[in-house]
């Protein structure tokens, strides 16, 4: 179940990368790379920082295959992208929840402090999108619009609070993902933004 | 003493990141991340490249706390930033000296060649600021203005020359930091720049 | 022989970095760093991702020396750059071939799947140029123009197909490099591009 959600999230992240790259008039290779980086970048940064090398996606072909499928789907459906926007957004939200959980779990496994684990989960979920925006030469969208990373942090907090009550892992994962997914849906529906800060 | 200077440097780097991010109209989360990356980015790159993982700031909450305090200070004082410019600049200079020394020391501990150690020290001191500028979508300031990294390289050179004379570590550290701090103050006061290079 | 080609490739990559940085009016330090990152960036990313730390260029002074020489050459010849364009392009092409092979080999040594090895070879050859463009605040050229990374992937494919026939390593390396070099020369001569993709 968890694994299936990981696949769905990877697919969605890769498609969002591919579509951003296409809007920048990149060639197919560039589009593929941006798709790859958007989907695998967060996990790569996490693995490198905690010393889990070779990094996860290198160990078998699964991620390469999923991202290739996402790339082909993005090519095929690029004319009808507007109709797909809603499904893509849903997938992306699932990815956000699952990637946060994977990062949390990896941090817990090597005995890091809960707050560091939350940082790790947030990085896993958000860094791919940050790299996508840097490679496309834009200020990363998560720094400017939409409460995105904030939701990962909130989810991580919920996870550790519930964990104190001794809930089982499966239920913990389920509740945390649902919290992340629901809050994101509400945030987008009711346009919750953080105010921007300016000095002077 | 050394540890205290490390804290001051981290604080100053984080505040400079926060203030840059605020000038780009980022939301609070973006401001926090840029503050974090500016302060912890150099050490993270260094630790990842020499294989010290999990990277330093993950091992306890100290850095997270310092950077959070810097973030709050930057928020509170953002209207009066101009009056603080001098103190911030001093802190930043202390950070430059201390971070260079920490990088030098880590390189020496794993037996790298002095020139590689100097590179490591310079990276530790400068990479945070480079990442800040990339995330804010600008050509990194250290490549364009002010002799900044050059001072770290100079400090590293002084360190290894004095080390040949068999000075004790404490005195070595003190002199190297003072060299870095004084040269930077003079460089800014008398506007020492490197000439820019252009082809054609 | 292989080692000599590695040196030529590093020189060429460093010079291309230095020349790009000079066209952005950077100071000498910035120019040196961009030269360094262009030449050593690909190998650094590869080593970090597979956990070979400290990364390759830190282990001795060889790379630092080669890149310093390239930096000096770029300074000296910057006025006559147009006359050198052809030799530089040839060197760069040699670098492309050699760096791809080095990446392939490292992947094989730690038992990664051929497709992952090809990804590693392509990253080794291309990431330096990507970082150069990001630091100079441009959308990386390999995502927009010229079939560059595609040639590395092709070369990697040829390598593994020929390997199935039980060719010796030396001959394998020779043929793969020649394929990469020839295809690149033809691609530039006859202006082979990948079409760009746009959504809508």
């Amino acid at each position: 179940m968890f694994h299936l959600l990981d696949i769905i999230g990877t697919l969605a992240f890769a498609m969002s990368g591919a579509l951003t790259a296409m809007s920048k008039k990149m060639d197919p290779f560039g589009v593929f790379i941006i798709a790859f980086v958007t989907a695998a970048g967060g996990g790569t940064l996490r693995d490198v920082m905690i010393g889990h090398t070779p990094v996860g996606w290198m160990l078998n072909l699964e991620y390469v295959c999923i991202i290739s499928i996402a790339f082909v789907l993005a090519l095929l459906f690029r004319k009808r992208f507007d109709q797909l926007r809603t499904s893509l957004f849903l997938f992306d939200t699932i990815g956000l929840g699952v990637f946060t959980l994977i990062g949390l779990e990896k941090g817990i496994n090597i005995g890091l402090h809960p707050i560091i684990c939350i940082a790790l989960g947030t990085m896993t979920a958000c860094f791919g999108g940050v790299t996508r925006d840097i490679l496309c030469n834009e200020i990363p969208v998560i720094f400017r619009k939409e409460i995105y990373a904030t939701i990962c942090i909130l989810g991580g907090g919920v996870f550790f609070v519930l964990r104190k009550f001794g809930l089982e892992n499966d239920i913990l994962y389920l509740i945390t993902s649902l919290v992340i997914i629901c809050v994101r849906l509400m945030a987008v529906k009711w346009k919750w933004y953080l105010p921007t800060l300016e000095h002077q």
Side-chain angles (χ1 to χ4, degrees), chain A residues 14-15 18-19 22 31 69-79:
Chain A
M15 288 182 73
L19 293 164
M22 285 192 267
V31 172
I69 293 170
F71 172 69
V72 172
L73 289 177
L75 286 195
L76 291 178
F77 292 110
R78 68 184 192 275
K79 307 276 179 204

Side-chain angles (χ1 to χ4, degrees), chain A residues 83-95:
Chain A
Q83 294 155 261
L84 292 170
R85 207 176 279 272
T86 316
S87 344
L88 247 187
F89 169 72
L90 272 174
F91 285 2
D92 184 64
T93 303
I94 293 172

Side-chain angles (χ1 to χ4, degrees), chain A residues 183-194:
Chain A
V183 175
R184 171 127 199 250
L185 296 182
M186 290 189 293
V188 169
K189 184 161 177 57
W190 291 306
K191 298 190 199 307
W192 294 345
Y193 292 103
L194 295 176

Side-chain angles (χ1 to χ4, degrees), chain A residues 114 118 154-167 172 176:
Chain A
I118 294 176
L154 179 74
V158 168
F159 179 88
F160 281 105
V161 167
L162 292 178
R163 199 158 172 264
K164 288 239 160 137
F165 292 108
L167 285 187
L172 256 181
T176 310

Side-chain angles (χ1 to χ4, degrees), chain A residues 31-52:
Chain A
V31 172
F32 182 79
I33 293 298
I34 305 283
F36 202 100
V37 161
T38 310
T44 300
L45 179 69
R46 179 200 62 219
D47 286 347
V48 163
M49 287 176 91
I50 62 177
H52 276 196

Side-chain angles (χ1 to χ4, degrees), chain A residues 77-124:
Chain A
F77 292 110
R78 68 184 192 275
K79 307 276 179 204
R80 274 178 291 165
F81 176 61
D82 282 329
Q83 294 155 261
L84 292 170
R85 207 176 279 272
T86 316
S87 344
L88 247 187
F89 169 72
L90 272 174
F91 285 2
D92 184 64
T93 303
I94 293 172
L96 194 69
V98 178
F99 284 21
T100 305
L101 278 174
I102 296 175
L104 283 174
E105 202 185 38
K106 296 237 175 188
I108 293 169
N109 286 345
I110 57 168
L112 299 177
H113 186 281
I115 289 185
I116 305 291
C117 293
I118 294 176
L120 216 50
T122 308
M123 272 173 18
T124 308

